[in-house]
Amino acid sequence: MTIHDIAGVEPSGTIASRDAFVRIRTDLLVIGDSIMTDRHHASNNNYRDDDPQNQIGGIIPAFPLSGWLRHGMERVVQEAGGTACHPGEADANFKKRDVYDRDLEAGYHEKGACVDDPTTDPGCVIFDLFGGFSDRPGKVMRRPIRFSPVRSTVDYTRGQAEGHYRRLNRNVVSRNPDDDRQPLRNAELDAVANLDGAWHLSFRELKPEFLGLLAEAVDFLDAHATGFMHQLGGARNFGAGIVDCDLINPLYDESELKRVFDRHASPTDAMDRKDDRWADEHRPAVVEALHRRIEEGP
């Protein structure tokens, strides 16, 4: 089964049929799980990481992106009356056991408690999507985002983005007036500014409820972008991680996906018709499938 099968149309582009794309826009993103950059392109020891003329690209790992999306999906399931698999192993020696127990009381169940046999049982929709144990991969693959400051080199159909890398310095200074704000400690942060692009997700197996949950979770995260718990990455107290996001219409073909990011082009009539079909017919159907799955339980 493909996204187009679920949507009731035939694929007309060359994008792999089990792929979905989430548009992500943010003014500042600080990733605690590291940003891998192409700094080695600066030769002859001329590289300065704080130089505004730097043309440095890199990769944003999928780890923080995955956790951000999963948190949104968990909240959607909980608000629909279900419980979600906790991401922590049930038999782990938790440093803060009381916090874990409060999680279980707030809409989670122990990881894997929704399956009798983790190799065959689908479990709850969160377990089904993300997997739960070393020999049970999830049904959705989350790719990293490759970013570049040169817009013409960005391939949105491969889940890439325009973004501008900088290394930021944060000083903790003395509060004593006699010290003239003498630095006590310096902290460096890797950050990407003005990020705009596509996050590429691929389904190993596609079920209608998966697409419904993805659509609902992306809308939830967009609506709660300024909520601390639903921001992405680190340095949230400094304005980082406030993300505008939306699921790009799964009915679009490759040329239409590219057109979404073309600042000089407006949607075509065909795109408008597909938007209406997605909103009026297909999205309600996959969201209904999600609610049936939640009501049935694991």
Side-chain angles (χ1 to χ4, degrees), residues 46 71 92 101 120 142 193 198 210 216 228 260 264 278:
N46 292 326
H71 195 187
D101 291 340
T120 58
R142 290 83 73 191
F210 291 170
E216 292 285 277
F228 184 83
V260 169
H264 304 290
W278 169 251

Side-chain angles (χ1 to χ4, degrees), residues 49-66:
D49 52 27
D50 58 352
D51 187 341
Q53 296 301 315
N54 282 336
Q55 295 290 298
I56 301 172
I59 291 176
I60 299 171
F63 299 106
L65 293 162
S66 177

Side-chain angles (χ1 to χ4, degrees), residues 226-283:
T226 58
F228 184 83
M229 293 296 290
H230 304 290
Q231 293 170 28
L232 172 60
R236 300 177 187 180
N237 287 329
F238 297 87
I242 299 173
V243 175
D244 297 322
C245 56
D246 58 274
L247 177 64
I248 296 175
N249 191 332
L251 306 183
Y252 286 171
D253 62 25
E254 181 174 329
S255 63
E256 291 166 337
L257 173 61
K258 291 180 179 179
R259 196 176 184 90
V260 169
F261 297 95
D262 188 341
R263 301 180 186 182
H264 304 290
S266 57
T268 64
D269 290 341
M271 292 171 69
D272 288 338
R273 290 193 295 271
K274 288 181 179 180
D275 288 342
D276 292 339
R277 290 167 60 194
W278 169 251
D280 297 339
E281 303 173 28
H282 308 309
R283 175 170 175 150

